[in-house]
Amino acid sequence: SAVISQKPSRDICQRGTSLTIQCQVDSQVTMMFWYRQQPGQSLTLIATANQGSEATYESGFVIDKFPISRPNLTFSTLTVSNMSPEDSSIYLCSVSVSSNQPQHFGDGTRLSIL
Amino acid sequence: RKEVEQDPGPFNVPEGATVAFNCTYSNSASQSFFWYRQDCRKEPKLLMSVYSSGNEDGRFTAQLNRASQYISLLIRDSKLSDSATYLCVVNRPGGSQGNLIFGKGTKLSVKP
């Protein structure tokens, strides 16, 4: 399966700042997604990253807070903007070949906001 | 009813034991079902897909009951390395493309 690399693996940030997380895949993939996993919780889908167009956001997530780019079929970024302590979480990208196939995850970005 | 609901756990079992996890899902139109494994502080990894006829992969057996909207995972001859959280995952029909719903997971701890 594809090798999925996320950067940074972890960061500690100040309240009010923004951080961009990168997701790089070693092969072209049809679908890329961004998830959040808060402490002790399961994964929640933030958005589907669409190549060459605006991401599709899930209920409760907005572009101003979580802008996403996907310039090509192997790379995507998620920015967490104007961070607050409530944004402390693990952020994960995942990829899939089609909508009914399983997704494979990057190793995640552990984010703490002070 | 939650979209995906799992046994709360934790399950504490001795090595060699057989353990079963259950999962129910609310949307009868769901078509794709998976079990993932997540180790502490790691990303989820696909353990196996779940097919209508049931399927087996070594010590792991997954079963699907569409009528009851129920999925199970059976682990035989548990190993210490099986200790992890097991996530039941179901697709959400009609949602965004590839939208998977993750259960909260069942924690398994295999003891020597």
Side-chain angles (χ1 to χ4, degrees), chain B residues 6-76:
Chain B
Q6 295 186 240
D7 280 347
F11 284 63
N12 298 306
V13 304
E15 268 187 293
T18 296
V19 60
F21 304 141
N22 303 317
C23 170
T24 56
Y25 60 97
S26 61
N27 194 325
S28 60
S30 292
Q31 293 293 324
S32 302
F33 310 92
F34 312 100
W35 284 101
Y36 278 73
R37 162 192 176 129
Q38 187 171 25
D39 291 279
C40 188
R41 304 176 79 85
K42 298 283 190 181
E43 75 277 18
K45 292 185 177 175
L46 178 68
L47 179 65
M48 59 197 303
S49 301
V50 185
Y51 302 118
S52 297
S53 54
N55 48 299
E56 188 174 304
D57 183 1
R59 297 181 293 110
F60 299 85
T61 300
Q63 295 204 309
L64 169 65
N65 183 324
R66 286 188 185 274
S68 303
Q69 294 176 211
Y70 170 97
I71 305 160
S72 66
L73 177 68
L74 182 78
I75 305 176
R76 290 182 299 278

Side-chain angles (χ1 to χ4, degrees), chain A residues 10 31 33 35 37 40-43 45 48 50 56 58 92 98-108 110, chain B residues 31-32 34 36 38 40-46 49 87 91-92 95-105:
Chain A
R10 61 177 63 236
M31 312 189 77
F33 307 93
Y35 286 82
Q37 187 173 27
Q41 301 297 313
S42 192
L43 281 77
L45 181 65
T48 302
N50 301 309
T56 305
E58 297 300 305
L92 295 138
S98 70
S99 61
N100 286 331
Q101 295 300 309
Q103 295 175 19
H104 300 280
F105 288 84
D107 48 10
R110 189 176 295 273
Chain B
Q31 293 293 324
S32 302
F34 312 100
Y36 278 73
Q38 187 171 25
C40 188
R41 304 176 79 85
K42 298 283 190 181
E43 75 277 18
K45 292 185 177 175
L46 178 68
S49 301
L87 306 174
N91 81 301
R92 180 189 286 155
S96 62
Q97 287 185 324
N99 195 353
L100 299 181
I101 308 303
F102 287 77
K104 293 187 79 171

